[in-house]
Amino acid sequence: MPKKIILTGDRPSGKLHIGHYVGSLRQRVALQATGEYAQIFIMIADVQALTDNFADPEKVRQSVTEVALDYLGAGLDPDKVTIFIQSQVPELTELTTYYMNLVTVARLERNPTVKAEIKQKKFDTNIPAGFLCYPVSQAADITAFKATTVPVGEDQKPMLEQTREIVRRFNEIYTPVLVEPDILLAANKSCLRLPGTDGKAKMSKSLGNCIYLSDDAEAVQKKVMSMYTDPTHIRASDPGHLDGNTVFTYLDAFCRPEHFARYLADYVSLDELKDHYQRGGLGDVKVKKFLAAVLEEELAPIRQRRAEYAKDIPQIYAMLKQGSLEAREAAAQTLSEVRQAMHINYWE
Ligand code: ATP
Ligand code: MG
């Protein structure tokens, strides 16, 4: 069986947070070591970030470096994965143009993730055309690399659906040169769409409810201590609820059995801790302190590695340039097949 190919990425609209980490980044770091993938492409999606940050190009530019540092800090290895900048692979833009004919405006308007974002960004009826169409450009990104596998968070499901539809239409109308990709979601349910520290549905750069991979220990501690829990759990003796309780959702995402011996020896497992909370008699502060310790254990090495890499930004740029050249080569190959399939390869 031919080896699989990964394409995934993040928008440089800010630094990466622990939602990105558990939703996709942690998985990529694990996958790069499996040998299951012929190639792993990780894209910093600046063109997509510009669809709603077009008036703030400097933010996008700065964030490219921040996201690259987050990647390396989290453990992505440039010897195993190709990290590149979307705008430096113009083949992707050309593919987008051709795919634009294979979708309808009505179909784009039905995309639930885009719909929610339009509401959140208060675009109202002034929706930038580029923003509405970004799922098409995402289809170009994925198919340019003939990706079989796209490790992302749950909010990306509609994008993958849209991509598969475009692939099927293209292959049916022209020649079957494109590959239908599969989404790869985190196995742990709490990681699919990590809520913000405010308890809102999604931790998101745009909502200001994030714990960043680059936050220092003190900031993480502070954010955890002011996190949303169970509003009916007023006194420690009250029975507590787990549903929608963000502290427990984060523990589901990060806690491992060995953490108890290290930081909360009165308990042996998360189930036992949850039982006590639901029965009553366990205060939020104790649980939050435990969560802060668990998070610190995972984030401290990331933060330290990140700070090391941040000392040499020209080196980061060199890595991104090399990755972008490699990505361009792969995309150009697909584009040439696409042009042939579409009968626009005039000089060949
Ligand atoms: P923006 O608000 O600019 O869209 P974002 O925080 O939604 O930023 P993206 O760059 O759009 O981040 O998403 C990058 C990747 O991280 C995607 O795979 C997405 O599914 C995943 N992701 C983002 N937020 C979360 C979250 N809260 N939980 C799990 N995965 C997430
Ligand atoms: Mg997003």
Side-chain angles (χ1 to χ4, degrees):
M1 215 173 79
K3 277 197 177 179
K4 297 186 280 182
I5 297 174
I6 285 180
L7 178 283
T8 184
D10 305 273
R11 295 155 36 97
S13 53
K15 298 174 174 186
L16 296 187
H17 52 63
I18 62 171
H20 301 121
Y21 181 68
V22 298
S24 172
L25 187 48
R26 181 162 68 177
Q27 222 177 350
R28 297 177 209 166
V29 175
L31 293 175
Q32 72 181 353
T34 60
E36 251 185 80
Y37 298 90
Q39 279 169 301
I40 301 182
F41 292 98
I42 313 280
M43 180 180 78
I44 304 184
D46 59 342
V47 176
Q48 191 185 122
L50 284 165
T51 62
D52 55 322
N53 293 282
F54 51 86
D56 201 354
E58 196 47 35
K59 176 175 111 182
V60 174
R61 188 188 175 100
Q62 298 297 336
S63 301
V64 167
T65 316
E66 299 291 354
V67 170
L69 289 172
D70 287 327
Y71 284 169
L72 298 172
L76 282 180
D77 176 356
D79 289 335
K80 298 199 178 90
V81 305
T82 304
I83 303 176
F84 70 99
I85 306 177
Q86 187 181 23
S87 62
Q88 302 311 299
V89 184
E91 286 77 6
L92 301 175
T93 322
E94 186 176 331
L95 276 180
T96 306
T97 303
Y98 304 143
Y99 294 174
M100 217 64 109
N101 305 326
L102 308 179
V103 297
T104 64
V105 174
R107 174 68 182 84
L108 291 169
E109 283 171 343
R110 275 202 305 276
N111 184 312
T113 298
V114 175
K115 253 188 182 167
E117 288 171 343
I118 285 170
K119 221 174 175 182
Q120 181 210 320
K121 293 172 202 298
K122 302 194 170 62
F123 281 142
D124 208 10
T125 52
N126 299 312
I127 308 160
F131 187 80
L132 187 67
C133 297
Y134 88 70
V136 184
S137 114
Q138 239 174 287
D141 306 333
I142 295 167
T143 56
F145 301 97
K146 302 211 166 156
T148 55
T149 314
V150 185
V152 282
E154 198 178 35
D155 63 306
Q156 294 301 308
K157 259 186 184 168
M159 313 310 173
L160 263 290
E161 241 343 283
Q162 179 77 81
T163 301
R164 293 168 64 94
E165 283 172 35
I166 289 174
V167 168
R168 287 198 288 266
R169 285 214 78 191
F170 186 99
N171 288 348
E172 207 176 273
I173 297 172
Y174 308 112
T175 317
V177 296
L178 301 182
V179 176
E180 250 186 82
D182 288 314
I183 193 168
L184 181 64
L185 294 169
N188 182 336
K189 275 201 171 52
S190 315
C191 299
L192 294 175
R193 189 183 292 254
L194 198 77
T197 49
D198 55 0
K200 295 230 171 85
K202 184 174 172 285
M203 180 173 287
S204 171
K205 284 169 252 169
S206 316
L207 294 175
N209 57 7
C210 304
I211 294 176
Y212 292 98
L213 293 179
S214 47
D215 277 345
D216 62 28
E218 202 184 324
V220 174
Q221 168 101 8
K222 231 170 133 184
K223 287 179 185 181
V224 169
M225 295 317 287
S226 61
M227 261 173 77
Y228 180 85
T229 58
D230 168 12
T232 69
H233 187 243
I234 297 160
R235 280 173 299 267
S237 56
D238 294 337
H241 301 87
L242 303 177
D243 221 28
N245 189 321
T246 313
V247 173
F248 280 95
T249 309
Y250 286 16
L251 282 175
D252 281 328
F254 283 97
C255 175
R256 292 189 302 273
E258 64 263 29
H259 288 139
F260 286 94
R262 287 206 273 279
Y263 309 117
L264 196 61
D266 314 354
Y267 303 85
V268 294
S269 70
L270 191 51
D271 283 340
E272 199 190 337
L273 189 75
K274 285 178 176 174
D275 279 347
H276 192 187
Y277 191 78
Q278 285 173 297
R279 269 200 320 273
L282 174 58
D284 279 338
V285 171
K286 194 164 176 180
V287 186
K288 283 178 168 176
K289 281 191 172 151
F290 176 55
L291 172 62
V294 167
L295 278 179
E296 186 53 21
E297 185 178 311
E298 186 119 0
L299 297 181
I302 295 178
R303 191 187 299 134
Q304 277 154 21
R305 264 195 305 266
R306 195 186 190 283
E308 274 309 306
Y309 282 112
K311 289 179 185 161
D312 191 357
I313 299 300
Q315 179 58 33
I316 302 293
Y317 264 74
M319 183 271 292
L320 290 172
K321 189 171 178 188
Q322 179 57 33
S324 300
L325 288 173
E326 279 170 37
R328 220 184 148 177
E329 228 167 88
Q333 174 58 39
T334 305
L335 185 60
S336 126
E337 293 168 35
V338 162
R339 283 163 160 250
Q340 193 178 347
M342 294 183 71
H343 302 200
I344 52 174
N345 57 334
Y346 302 107
W347 323 129
E348 278 170 24

